[in-house]
Structures are given as structure tokens and as C-alpha cells.
Amino acid sequence: MHALSIPTWIIHVSSVIEWIAAIWFIWKYGEVTSNRAWWTLSVAMLPALVSAMCACTWHYFDNAKSLEWLVTLQAAMTVVGNCTLWAAAVWIWRSTKSAEMASELISTQPIKSK
């Protein structure tokens, strides 16, 4: 645990806690708005959380040689997390586009009476 200074540990741990809170808040936002696309974003954030936990674990054990596989796992989870976050962002964008198109179709022309 001596690999990092106390201020650096505070940053690492608080970042993980903030990420967990963000996942929870985004999930709740999806519930409040009844838009499941936001749920995909919260699930897509999980690989990045695993990546952060790998880094914290490796540093906690003083960057032990026996745990170097955590560095590889962290890198892989970062790539996977970036891809899942991109896919979730596209999903949210498409869901807002389809909602906008639906509202335009409904309110484009008023019915004229004769």
C-alpha cells in the first residue's frame, strides 16, 4: 500500500466511489424518464469500474509482480469500457432522434374542418 501517497489514494478511492454513484444516478434517471436507453449507459459504465478496481487492487498490494495480470485486465476493461460507453451513447442518441421524429409526426399538421 506504500506504492501511492495518501493524497493519491484519496483520488483513486473517491474516483471509484464517484463512478459508482454516477452509475446509480444514471440508472435512476432512466427510471424517472422511463427511457431504458439510459439504463444501457449505466450498464456500459461497469467495465470502466472494473478497470478502476483493478488499478486500486494492484496498487494496494504494492504493485506485486504476481498481480501484473491485473494491469492487462485493466487495459482490456478500459478498451471494452470505451466501446460499451460509445455504444450506449449511440443508443441514447438514436432513442432521442426516434422520440423527436415521433413527436413531429404527431404534431405536424392540424386537422382542418370543412
Side-chain angles (χ1 to χ4, degrees):
M1 193 160 152
H2 301 91
L4 301 178
S5 66
I6 297 298
T8 305
W9 271 115
I10 292 169
I11 297 294
H12 275 64
V13 172
S14 65
S15 295
V16 170
I17 293 169
E18 288 171 2
W19 200 253
I20 292 168
I23 291 170
W24 184 76
F25 282 124
I26 291 169
W27 185 272
K28 286 295 183 185
Y29 181 77
E31 286 180 350
V32 169
T33 61
S34 299
N35 186 348
R36 289 188 176 184
W38 288 98
W39 292 352
T40 62
L41 178 61
S42 64
V43 172
M45 294 171 74
L46 292 176
L49 179 61
V50 171
S51 175
M53 289 179 169
C54 286
C56 288
T57 303
W58 192 57
H59 290 315
Y60 181 80
F61 291 105
D62 293 326
N63 305 341
K65 290 278 186 195
S66 61
L67 295 176
E68 279 190 357
W69 59 271
L70 283 172
V71 177
T72 305
L73 181 60
Q74 178 193 8
M77 288 293 100
T78 299
V79 171
V80 170
N82 289 343
C83 294
T84 58
L85 287 168
W86 171 82
V90 169
W91 190 312
I92 292 168
W93 177 71
R94 285 187 177 173
S95 74
T96 58
K97 288 294 180 188
S98 62
E100 288 174 5
M101 289 177 63
S103 66
E104 285 178 14
L105 289 175
I106 292 171
S107 63
T108 53
Q109 295 289 329
I111 298 174
K112 295 181 182 180
S113 60
K114 292 185 180 182

